[in-house]
Amino acid sequence: MALPTTTDQNRADKLASRKVAEQDMLLREVDEAVRQDRAAHIAQTYGKLIIGGLILLLAAFGAWLWWDASQEGKLETGSEELVTALDQLEAGNRDTADKELAAIAEDGAPAAAAGAAMLRAGILIEQGKAADGAKMLFAVADDDDAPAAYRELAAIRAVAATFDSMEPQQVIDRLKPLATPGTPWFGSAGELLAMAYLKQGKNDLAGPLFASIAKDEDVPQTLRSRTRQMAGMLGYDAVVDIDQAIAETAGGEAAAQ
């Protein structure tokens, strides 16, 4: 029986190496397919919960934005009427509040008019008329006379309200300029942007963005916890300090109970 030659051995080694490489490639393709399927499942399962939570957060922030402006002495024509309309809204008199807000949105100064329009949009969204509310919000977002902060907030709220019916690229075009680290909108706009990437199957863009939000200490804790989980599901590490992450997660669960 002839012994294998060096050439035969080299050929066998090359075949073995090629087989290992092919198996490794196959495993990577399977892993990527699983991740893609998991990403689609994440978007379908958690998308509405994320959008719902974000709408509430943005609504609260919008109210604070107007209040902060008024506290700093930036009251303009229509502000007192806006306070009256807010009182009606808090009392549950939505129809009366909406009429008063409509008048302010029509004749008030830019900031008051924008605030009134956003509140009217919020009423519509609460009534299940998300498309109508979003249309009103987009109008504020595209109004050059409205203060920049109101335009930006209106754009994010409009996208959040109609995210499921918008094309992912529309979301990206609207929010990518706002999803910049270091800006007030990074967390909220960034999360929606990442979800749009996820719907496009671009996990390589969604995962790092989720992770970046989770690592940003200026972002609200609940949002950091949520995006950390999303990043992890997509295979991206978003944990900087494991002890802090555990504490934040525990705190978020306690607040939810």
Side-chain angles (χ1 to χ4, degrees), residues 135-152:
K135 184 178 180 179
M136 195 172 292
L137 288 167
F138 278 129
V140 174
D142 295 332
D143 184 359
D144 292 335
D145 291 331
Y150 286 82
R151 296 199 310 268
E152 293 163 356

Side-chain angles (χ1 to χ4, degrees), residues 23-38:
Q23 290 177 340
D24 183 60
M25 183 177 296
L26 178 61
L27 288 174
R28 289 186 180 182
E29 290 177 354
V30 171
D31 183 61
E32 182 60 27
V34 170
R35 286 190 178 183
Q36 290 284 355
D37 183 67
R38 184 183 299 172

Side-chain angles (χ1 to χ4, degrees), residues 8-246:
D8 293 335
Q9 185 63 44
N10 289 340
R11 185 180 295 111
D13 290 342
K14 288 181 179 179
L15 289 173
S17 297
R18 181 182 300 174
K19 186 175 182 180
V20 170
E22 289 174 351
Q23 290 177 340
D24 183 60
M25 183 177 296
L26 178 61
L27 288 174
R28 289 186 180 182
E29 290 177 354
V30 171
D31 183 61
E32 182 60 27
V34 170
R35 286 190 178 183
Q36 290 284 355
D37 183 67
R38 184 183 299 172
H41 176 72
I42 291 169
Q44 190 174 35
T45 304
Y46 298 102
K48 291 184 178 181
L49 292 175
I50 289 174
I51 302 304
L54 190 56
I55 288 174
L56 292 175
L57 177 66
L58 292 172
F61 187 76
W64 174 86
L65 187 67
W66 179 86
W67 177 86
D68 183 62
S70 65
Q71 288 298 107
E72 292 181 0
K74 298 179 181 177
L75 290 173
E76 303 178 36
T77 303
S79 293
E80 292 183 4
E81 291 85 351
L82 190 55
V83 171
T84 302
L86 280 170
D87 290 338
Q88 292 290 343
L89 196 57
E90 290 179 359
N93 303 321
R94 290 185 177 179
D95 291 340
T96 302
D98 186 62
K99 290 179 181 178
E100 295 180 359
L101 290 169
I104 300 168
E106 182 69 25
D107 301 321
M118 291 173 69
L119 286 169
R120 291 192 72 207
I123 293 173
L124 289 172
I125 292 171
E126 287 182 1
Q127 292 175 336
K129 302 175 182 178
D132 293 334
K135 184 178 180 179
M136 195 172 292
L137 288 167
F138 278 129
V140 174
D142 295 332
D143 184 359
D144 292 335
D145 291 331
Y150 286 82
R151 296 199 310 268
E152 293 163 356
L153 177 59
I156 298 172
R157 288 194 64 189
V159 171
T162 54
F163 182 85
D164 288 339
S165 62
M166 291 181 69
E167 291 295 325
Q169 192 58 47
Q170 291 178 309
V171 176
I172 293 167
D173 292 341
R174 274 281 182 179
L175 299 186
K176 191 173 182 180
L178 302 179
T180 304
T183 65
W185 314 114
F186 176 52
S188 52
E191 184 178 30
L192 288 167
L193 179 61
M195 290 297 294
Y197 285 142
L198 205 58
K199 289 179 70 173
Q200 289 184 330
K202 296 179 179 178
N203 295 8
D204 58 324
L205 297 178
L209 183 51
F210 279 129
S212 182
I213 297 170
K215 294 175 182 178
D216 191 332
E217 295 184 357
D218 292 328
V219 171
Q221 179 178 313
T222 53
L223 180 53
R224 292 182 66 191
S225 178
R226 189 164 66 238
T227 51
R228 182 183 298 113
Q229 293 179 41
M230 296 294 289
M233 290 179 184
L234 294 171
Y236 291 86
D237 183 15
V239 178
V240 177
D241 185 327
I242 187 63
D243 293 331
Q244 181 181 356
I246 293 173

